[in-house]
């Protein structure tokens, strides 16, 4: 068995999305093939609308993050690695329409008034196979390797069995996804923990890597 890792963090350029979709501070997700995130991948609109290798160790050390892990088979791990490497450099239009719909319409309606937008309408705006968000990229990568993100719908997160409806917020519900929490705090603190620094600043190991 092998472990893969998910890093959630706050991208300030997407703060408007965060403030309307959920109460979570995180709005971006990256997938890593090792706990050090030496080999990590993500999709970024501000990076040219393309898939890229993420250099997590070069992120702002005071940036907040949450890291969780998932155990998969060796075969799934190998398939996932092949897929992620093959995607590097590929460009996909960012799903601005879907994100706008979620952040400005569906999110506020639910969080302010408790009104859930009909699932059919959500899928109409958010299921766009030719486009990507950070969440849908990660979910599609998992699907390519035969890794199920969830066996059932996640409460308050519509359509989470569809990879195109997965967002960074989906991973906040790590318990319902059967993900193991690893770390919560600042990114720099996580790497200090890995280096064996006992008094790492502003961070908390919340599980086993």
């Amino acid at each position: 068995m092998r472990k893969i890792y998910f890093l959630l963090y706050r991208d300030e350029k997407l703060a408007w999305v965060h403030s309307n979709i959920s109460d979570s501070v995180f709005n971006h997700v990256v997938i890593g093939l090792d706990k050090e995130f030496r080999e990590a991948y993500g999709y970024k609109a501000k990076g040219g609308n393309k898939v890229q290798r993420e250099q997590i160790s070069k992120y702002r050390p005071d940036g907040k993050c949450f890291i969780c892990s998932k155990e998969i088979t060796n075969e799934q791990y190998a398939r996932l690695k092949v897929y992620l490497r093959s995607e590097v450099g590929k460009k996909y239009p960012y799903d601005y329409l879907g994100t706008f719909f979620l952040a400005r319409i569906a999110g506020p309606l639910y969080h302010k008034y408790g009104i859930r937008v009909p699932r059919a309408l959500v899928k109409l705006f958010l299921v766009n196979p030719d486009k990507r968000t950070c969440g849908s990229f990660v979910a599609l990568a998992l699907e390519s390797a035969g890794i199920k993100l969830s066996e059932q719908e996640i409460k308050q997160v519509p359509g989470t069995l569809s990879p195109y409806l997965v967002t960074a917020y989906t991973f906040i519900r790590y318990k319902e996804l059967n993900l193991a929490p690893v770390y919560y705090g600042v990114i720099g603190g996580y790497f200090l923990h890995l280096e064996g620094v006992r008094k790492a600043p502003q961070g908390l190991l919340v599980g086993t890597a």
Side-chain angles (χ1 to χ4, degrees):
M1 301 295 287
R2 303 291 295 268
K3 283 186 178 181
I4 55 176
Y5 296 82
F6 305 99
L7 170 76
L8 279 68
Y9 72 98
R10 178 182 176 85
D11 186 334
E12 292 298 335
K13 292 187 177 181
L14 293 175
W16 67 276
V17 177
H18 138 74
S19 62
N20 286 289
I21 292 179
S22 74
D23 296 326
S24 168
V25 69
F26 307 112
N27 56 22
H28 190 67
V29 59
V30 169
I31 184 170
L33 296 178
D34 54 86
K35 66 182 180 181
E36 295 85 4
F37 287 92
R38 286 188 295 259
E39 187 168 354
Y41 301 85
Y43 169 84
K44 282 188 174 182
K46 68 177 184 180
N49 292 327
K50 64 182 180 181
V51 178
Q52 58 189 39
R53 284 283 294 267
E54 296 273 5
Q55 295 181 301
I56 308 299
S57 61
K58 293 185 179 181
Y59 281 16
R60 286 181 52 183
D62 60 345
K64 291 183 179 180
C65 74
F66 172 65
I67 298 171
C68 51
S69 67
K70 183 177 182 66
E71 194 170 74
I72 60 176
T73 67
N74 291 336
E75 181 182 355
Q76 289 173 328
Y77 185 89
R79 291 169 61 186
L80 178 63
K81 179 186 289 188
V82 169
Y83 177 86
L84 290 172
R85 290 180 174 178
S86 71
E87 286 289 293
V88 173
K90 290 186 179 180
K91 292 189 174 183
Y92 298 95
Y94 184 76
D95 193 359
Y96 285 105
L97 178 61
T99 302
F100 179 85
F101 174 78
L102 187 61
R104 296 302 193 194
I105 300 175
L109 279 176
Y110 179 79
H111 289 284
K112 293 180 180 179
Y113 307 106
I115 299 174
R116 298 192 67 173
V117 174
R119 188 176 299 277
L121 190 58
V122 172
K123 289 184 177 180
L124 176 65
F125 279 93
L126 291 174
V127 178
N128 299 304
D130 296 328
K131 298 180 179 180
R132 293 290 184 274
T133 63
C134 62
S136 66
F137 165 71
V138 171
L140 286 166
L142 296 176
E143 184 178 72
S144 75
I147 303 167
K148 289 187 177 182
L149 184 60
S150 174
E151 297 287 347
Q152 59 186 357
E153 296 286 345
I154 304 173
K155 186 179 180 182
Q156 300 178 6
V157 184
T160 43
L161 286 182
S162 168
Y164 299 101
L165 299 181
V166 171
T167 68
Y169 175 59
T170 307
F171 291 86
I172 297 297
R173 313 300 287 272
Y174 66 92
K175 292 181 180 179
E176 295 167 67
L177 294 175
N178 292 318
L179 303 178
V182 174
Y183 176 83
Y184 175 80
V186 296
I187 293 178
Y190 176 69
F191 288 101
L192 288 176
H193 276 303
L194 291 180
E195 294 170 4
V197 178
R198 293 184 178 181
K199 295 183 179 180
Q202 304 179 46
L204 175 65
L205 286 174
V206 292
T208 57

